[in-house]
Amino acid sequence: MERPAWAPRSIDITVPSVSRMYDYYLGGSHNFEVDREAARRAMEFMPGLPKTMQANRAFLRRAVRFAVGEGITQFLDIGSGIPTFGNVHEVAQTAVPGARVVYVDHDPVAVAHSQAVLEGNDDAGVVAGDLRKPRDILASSEVGRLIDLNRPVALLLVAVLHFVEDTDDPYAAVAELREALAPGSMLMLTHASYEEIPLPPERAGGAVDVYKDIRNPLIMRSRDEIARFFEGYDMVEPGLVPMPRWRPDTAPEDEDPYELSGLAGVGRTA
Protein backbone atom coordinates (compact mmCIF):
# COMPACT_ATOMS: atom_id res chain seq x y z
CA MET A 1 0.00 0.00 0.00
CA GLU A 2 1.44 3.37 -1.02
CA ARG A 3 1.73 5.91 1.78
CA PRO A 4 -0.07 9.19 0.99
CA ALA A 5 2.04 12.33 1.31
CA TRP A 6 -0.15 13.57 4.17
CA ALA A 7 0.30 10.42 6.29
CA PRO A 8 2.86 10.78 9.12
CA ARG A 9 5.74 8.34 8.74
CA SER A 10 5.24 7.12 12.29
CA ILE A 11 1.86 5.46 11.69
CA ASP A 12 1.18 1.92 10.48
CA ILE A 13 -1.12 2.32 7.49
CA THR A 14 -1.96 -1.39 7.52
CA VAL A 15 -3.86 -1.13 10.83
CA PRO A 16 -7.38 0.40 10.94
CA SER A 17 -7.99 3.45 13.11
CA VAL A 18 -11.35 4.38 14.64
CA SER A 19 -10.62 8.08 13.93
CA ARG A 20 -10.04 7.39 10.25
CA MET A 21 -13.08 5.07 10.07
CA TYR A 22 -15.14 7.93 11.52
CA ASP A 23 -13.68 10.22 8.87
CA TYR A 24 -14.77 7.73 6.20
CA TYR A 25 -18.33 7.51 7.57
CA LEU A 26 -18.54 11.31 7.34
CA GLY A 27 -17.32 11.32 3.73
CA GLY A 28 -13.81 12.55 4.53
CA SER A 29 -10.67 11.78 2.55
CA HIS A 30 -8.10 11.21 5.30
CA ASN A 31 -8.47 7.47 5.60
CA PHE A 32 -6.78 4.42 4.10
CA GLU A 33 -8.17 1.39 2.35
CA VAL A 34 -7.71 -0.64 5.54
CA ASP A 35 -9.98 1.85 7.35
CA ARG A 36 -12.56 1.81 4.57
CA GLU A 37 -12.58 -1.98 4.53
CA ALA A 38 -13.21 -2.17 8.29
CA ALA A 39 -15.92 0.51 8.05
CA ARG A 40 -17.65 -1.31 5.22
CA ARG A 41 -17.60 -4.53 7.26
CA ALA A 42 -19.28 -2.73 10.16
CA MET A 43 -21.84 -1.25 7.77
CA GLU A 44 -22.78 -4.74 6.59
CA PHE A 45 -24.37 -5.13 10.03
CA MET A 46 -25.39 -1.49 10.58
CA PRO A 47 -25.81 0.16 7.18
CA GLY A 48 -26.93 3.42 8.78
CA LEU A 49 -23.65 4.15 10.56
CA PRO A 50 -22.97 7.29 8.47
CA LYS A 51 -26.32 8.70 9.63
CA THR A 52 -25.36 7.96 13.23
CA MET A 53 -22.06 9.81 12.81
CA GLN A 54 -23.77 12.79 11.18
CA ALA A 55 -26.19 13.01 14.11
CA ASN A 56 -23.20 12.91 16.45
CA ARG A 57 -21.52 15.85 14.71
CA ALA A 58 -24.77 17.81 14.62
CA PHE A 59 -25.15 17.38 18.40
CA LEU A 60 -21.59 18.62 18.91
CA ARG A 61 -22.32 21.84 17.01
CA ARG A 62 -25.57 22.47 18.91
CA ALA A 63 -23.89 21.79 22.25
CA VAL A 64 -21.06 24.22 21.50
CA ARG A 65 -23.53 26.94 20.52
CA PHE A 66 -25.45 26.26 23.73
CA ALA A 67 -22.29 26.61 25.83
CA VAL A 68 -21.39 29.89 24.14
CA GLY A 69 -24.92 31.13 24.80
CA GLU A 70 -24.36 30.31 28.48
CA GLY A 71 -21.19 32.39 28.54
CA ILE A 72 -18.54 29.69 28.16
CA THR A 73 -15.68 30.59 25.83
CA GLN A 74 -13.19 27.79 26.61
CA PHE A 75 -13.45 24.31 25.12
CA LEU A 76 -11.46 21.12 25.77
CA ASP A 77 -12.34 18.50 23.15
CA ILE A 78 -10.85 15.10 24.04
CA GLY A 79 -11.04 12.42 21.37
CA SER A 80 -11.57 15.14 18.79
CA GLY A 81 -10.71 13.02 15.75
CA ILE A 82 -9.78 14.19 12.26
CA PRO A 83 -10.90 17.77 11.47
CA THR A 84 -14.09 17.99 9.44
CA PHE A 85 -16.65 20.68 8.65
CA GLY A 86 -18.14 22.37 11.70
CA ASN A 87 -15.31 21.79 14.15
CA VAL A 88 -15.54 23.16 17.68
CA HIS A 89 -13.27 26.12 16.98
CA GLU A 90 -15.23 27.08 13.87
CA VAL A 91 -18.54 27.07 15.72
CA ALA A 92 -17.26 28.72 18.89
CA GLN A 93 -15.07 31.37 17.26
CA THR A 94 -17.79 32.32 14.79
CA ALA A 95 -20.08 33.00 17.74
CA VAL A 96 -17.41 34.58 19.96
CA PRO A 97 -14.15 35.70 18.32
CA GLY A 98 -11.30 34.79 20.65
CA ALA A 99 -12.95 31.68 22.07
CA ARG A 100 -10.23 29.24 23.15
CA VAL A 101 -10.19 25.61 21.99
CA VAL A 102 -7.83 22.71 22.68
CA TYR A 103 -8.24 19.47 20.74
CA VAL A 104 -6.86 16.21 22.13
CA ASP A 105 -6.43 12.92 20.29
CA HIS A 106 -4.05 9.97 20.32
CA ASP A 107 -4.28 9.27 16.56
CA PRO A 108 -1.22 10.82 14.83
CA VAL A 109 -3.26 11.53 11.68
CA ALA A 110 -5.86 13.42 13.71
CA VAL A 111 -3.16 15.40 15.50
CA ALA A 112 -1.25 16.22 12.29
CA HIS A 113 -4.36 17.41 10.47
CA SER A 114 -5.57 19.40 13.44
CA GLN A 115 -2.20 21.19 13.51
CA ALA A 116 -2.51 21.96 9.79
CA VAL A 117 -6.09 23.24 10.13
CA LEU A 118 -5.19 25.42 13.11
CA GLU A 119 -2.07 27.00 11.60
CA GLY A 120 -2.26 30.72 12.22
CA ASN A 121 -5.07 30.40 14.77
CA ASP A 122 -3.54 31.57 18.03
CA ASP A 123 -6.70 30.78 20.00
CA ALA A 124 -6.74 27.04 19.26
CA GLY A 125 -4.28 24.22 19.70
CA VAL A 126 -3.89 20.46 19.65
CA VAL A 127 -2.44 17.95 22.11
CA ALA A 128 -1.35 14.38 21.42
CA GLY A 129 -2.97 12.77 24.43
CA ASP A 130 -5.17 10.00 25.76
CA LEU A 131 -8.36 10.32 27.80
CA ARG A 132 -7.07 7.54 30.05
CA LYS A 133 -4.30 9.90 31.20
CA PRO A 134 -6.16 13.08 32.15
CA ARG A 135 -3.30 14.41 34.26
CA ASP A 136 -1.01 14.49 31.22
CA ILE A 137 -3.64 16.36 29.22
CA LEU A 138 -4.18 18.96 31.93
CA ALA A 139 -0.42 19.43 32.33
CA SER A 140 0.20 19.91 28.59
CA SER A 141 1.65 23.17 27.34
CA GLU A 142 -1.32 23.90 25.04
CA VAL A 143 -3.85 23.53 27.85
CA GLY A 144 -1.63 25.76 29.96
CA ARG A 145 -1.43 28.34 27.17
CA LEU A 146 -5.08 28.42 26.17
CA ILE A 147 -7.28 27.22 29.02
CA ASP A 148 -7.78 29.11 32.28
CA LEU A 149 -8.91 26.38 34.66
CA ASN A 150 -10.12 29.04 37.10
CA ARG A 151 -12.93 29.91 34.67
CA PRO A 152 -15.69 27.60 33.31
CA VAL A 153 -14.70 25.18 30.56
CA ALA A 154 -16.82 23.07 28.24
CA LEU A 155 -15.38 19.54 28.27
CA LEU A 156 -16.34 17.56 25.17
CA LEU A 157 -16.18 13.76 25.26
CA VAL A 158 -18.02 13.11 22.01
CA ALA A 159 -17.97 9.52 20.71
CA VAL A 160 -14.86 8.65 22.73
CA LEU A 161 -15.92 7.04 26.02
CA HIS A 162 -17.29 3.97 24.26
CA PHE A 163 -13.73 3.18 23.20
CA VAL A 164 -12.49 3.11 26.81
CA GLU A 165 -12.91 -0.27 28.46
CA ASP A 166 -14.09 -0.64 32.05
CA THR A 167 -10.67 -2.05 32.99
CA ASP A 168 -9.23 1.41 32.22
CA ASP A 169 -11.78 3.00 34.60
CA PRO A 170 -13.25 5.73 32.38
CA TYR A 171 -15.38 6.95 35.29
CA ALA A 172 -12.27 7.84 37.26
CA ALA A 173 -10.80 9.70 34.27
CA VAL A 174 -13.99 11.74 33.79
CA ALA A 175 -14.13 12.48 37.52
CA GLU A 176 -10.50 13.65 37.54
CA LEU A 177 -11.23 16.04 34.70
CA ARG A 178 -14.34 17.32 36.49
CA GLU A 179 -12.35 18.00 39.65
CA ALA A 180 -9.89 20.11 37.65
CA LEU A 181 -12.60 22.35 36.17
CA ALA A 182 -14.06 25.51 37.69
CA PRO A 183 -17.68 25.71 38.91
CA GLY A 184 -20.06 26.40 36.04
CA SER A 185 -18.14 24.11 33.67
CA MET A 186 -19.98 21.74 31.36
CA LEU A 187 -19.61 18.12 30.28
CA MET A 188 -20.89 17.28 26.79
CA LEU A 189 -20.84 13.68 25.68
CA THR A 190 -22.25 11.14 23.28
CA HIS A 191 -22.03 7.39 23.75
CA ALA A 192 -22.98 4.29 21.79
CA SER A 193 -25.70 2.09 23.26
CA TYR A 194 -27.91 -0.75 22.12
CA GLU A 195 -30.88 1.36 23.20
CA GLU A 196 -32.76 2.84 20.23
CA ILE A 197 -30.71 0.97 17.59
CA PRO A 198 -33.25 -0.14 14.93
CA LEU A 199 -31.81 -3.66 14.83
CA PRO A 200 -31.82 -6.75 17.03
CA PRO A 201 -28.87 -6.57 19.46
CA GLU A 202 -27.31 -9.69 17.95
CA ARG A 203 -27.14 -8.02 14.52
CA ALA A 204 -25.82 -4.74 15.89
CA GLY A 205 -23.33 -6.89 17.78
CA GLY A 206 -21.80 -7.83 14.44
CA ALA A 207 -20.64 -4.25 14.00
CA VAL A 208 -19.33 -4.24 17.56
CA ASP A 209 -17.33 -7.37 16.73
CA VAL A 210 -15.64 -5.56 13.83
CA TYR A 211 -14.19 -3.03 16.29
CA LYS A 212 -13.13 -5.86 18.57
CA ASP A 213 -11.36 -7.50 15.63
CA ILE A 214 -9.31 -4.34 14.98
CA ARG A 215 -8.38 -4.16 18.69
CA ASN A 216 -10.47 -1.07 19.37
CA PRO A 217 -13.36 -2.58 21.35
CA LEU A 218 -16.62 -0.66 21.15
CA ILE A 219 -18.24 -0.73 24.60
CA MET A 220 -22.03 -0.52 24.36
CA ARG A 221 -23.10 0.82 27.75
CA SER A 222 -26.64 1.08 29.08
CA ARG A 223 -28.43 4.37 29.76
CA ASP A 224 -27.74 4.04 33.49
CA GLU A 225 -24.05 3.30 32.87
CA ILE A 226 -23.75 6.35 30.60
CA ALA A 227 -25.60 8.54 33.11
CA ARG A 228 -22.91 7.68 35.69
CA PHE A 229 -20.43 9.83 33.76
CA PHE A 230 -22.50 12.85 34.81
CA GLU A 231 -21.96 12.32 38.53
CA GLY A 232 -21.14 15.73 40.00
CA TYR A 233 -22.99 17.52 37.22
CA ASP A 234 -26.56 18.81 37.03
CA MET A 235 -28.14 17.58 33.81
CA VAL A 236 -29.28 20.22 31.35
CA GLU A 237 -32.74 19.69 29.88
CA PRO A 238 -33.80 17.47 28.14
CA GLY A 239 -31.34 15.16 29.91
CA LEU A 240 -29.75 12.06 28.39
CA VAL A 241 -31.57 11.46 25.11
CA PRO A 242 -31.01 10.13 21.57
CA MET A 243 -28.62 12.53 19.81
CA PRO A 244 -31.01 14.33 17.43
CA ARG A 245 -33.46 14.94 20.29
CA TRP A 246 -31.05 17.06 22.33
CA ARG A 247 -32.29 20.62 21.72
CA PRO A 248 -32.84 20.23 17.95
CA ASP A 249 -32.65 23.39 15.85
CA THR A 250 -35.91 22.47 14.14
CA ALA A 251 -38.66 19.97 14.82
CA PRO A 252 -37.50 16.55 13.57
CA GLU A 253 -39.09 15.46 10.32
CA ASP A 254 -38.70 11.99 8.86
CA GLU A 255 -36.03 11.03 11.39
CA ASP A 256 -33.74 8.29 10.17
CA PRO A 257 -33.86 5.53 12.84
CA TYR A 258 -30.07 5.27 12.76
CA GLU A 259 -29.77 8.88 13.90
CA LEU A 260 -31.17 7.70 17.23
CA SER A 261 -28.41 5.12 17.70
CA GLY A 262 -26.55 6.81 20.51
CA LEU A 263 -27.26 8.87 23.60
CA ALA A 264 -26.24 12.48 24.19
CA GLY A 265 -26.31 14.80 27.15
CA VAL A 266 -24.91 17.96 28.72
CA GLY A 267 -24.26 18.52 32.40
CA ARG A 268 -23.13 21.57 34.34
CA THR A 269 -21.31 21.84 37.66
CA ALA A 270 -22.75 24.03 40.39
Side-chain angles (χ1 to χ4, degrees):
M1 182 187 301
E2 186 175 346
R3 181 182 296 272
W6 51 263
R9 302 297 304 178
S10 58
I11 67 169
D12 184 346
I13 64 175
T14 67
V15 177
S17 152
V18 294
S19 293
R20 299 193 303 268
M21 289 170 67
Y22 187 84
D23 179 66
Y24 173 72
Y25 293 134
L26 290 173
S29 59
H30 294 106
N31 48 76
F32 309 133
E33 181 54 33
V34 68
D35 307 307
R36 296 188 285 273
E37 181 182 346
R40 287 191 291 263
R41 282 171 48 213
M43 289 169 62
E44 289 176 8
F45 298 97
M46 292 184 63
L49 277 171
K51 284 290 187 182
T52 303
M53 306 310 170
Q54 290 165 19
N56 187 74
R57 293 296 298 186
F59 162 79
L60 179 148
R61 293 190 288 269
R62 295 195 306 276
V64 169
R65 289 195 296 267
F66 172 77
V68 170
E70 294 293 302
I72 292 181
T73 58
Q74 303 186 106
F75 297 83
L76 180 58
D77 184 359
I78 302 178
S80 51
I82 294 170
T84 186
F85 175 75
N87 285 327
V88 173
H89 75 279
E90 294 172 331
V91 177
Q93 292 175 355
T94 295
V96 180
R100 301 291 186 89
V101 179
V102 175
Y103 294 110
V104 182
D105 207 283
H106 64 74
D107 186 314
V109 171
V111 172
H113 280 283
S114 296
Q115 289 170 334
V117 167
L118 297 176
E119 187 173 356
N121 187 334
D122 293 335
D123 293 320
V126 59
V127 173
D130 192 317
L131 173 58
R132 294 169 295 186
K133 299 178 180 179
R135 196 167 305 172
D136 292 350
I137 293 171
L138 295 168
S140 67
S141 59
E142 285 297 82
V143 168
R145 180 177 74 88
L146 291 167
I147 303 294
D148 180 357
L149 294 174
N150 294 310
R151 295 193 299 113
V153 175
L155 170 63
L156 292 102
L157 301 177
V158 175
V160 63
L161 284 164
H162 49 231
F163 291 115
V164 183
E165 298 182 81
D166 289 341
T167 52
D168 289 318
D169 201 353
Y171 296 103
V174 173
E176 187 170 342
L177 289 164
R178 182 194 68 232
E179 290 300 315
L181 303 181
S185 294
M186 291 184 181
L187 170 63
M188 306 169 172
L189 68 77
T190 62
H191 199 296
S193 176
Y194 283 122
E195 295 187 34
E196 305 282 353
I197 290 180
L199 292 169
E202 58 271 15
R203 181 165 177 81
V208 173
D209 288 342
V210 171
Y211 285 90
K212 189 183 299 182
D213 290 344
I214 65 171
R215 298 181 183 178
N216 280 283
L218 180 58
I219 312 302
M220 304 291 274
R221 295 189 171 95
S222 69
R223 177 182 293 272
D224 287 346
E225 289 171 327
I226 297 167
R228 277 186 58 200
F229 288 115
F230 286 100
E231 288 183 1
Y233 291 90
D234 296 324
M235 292 297 294
V236 170
E237 290 293 333
L240 188 62
V241 294
M243 295 181 292
R245 295 181 182 167
W246 194 89
R247 296 180 177 244
D249 294 327
T250 58
E253 295 180 8
D254 301 323
E255 250 173 3
D256 187 301
Y258 280 99
E259 293 179 357
L260 306 176
S261 302
L263 296 175
V266 174
R268 178 165 32 200
T269 57

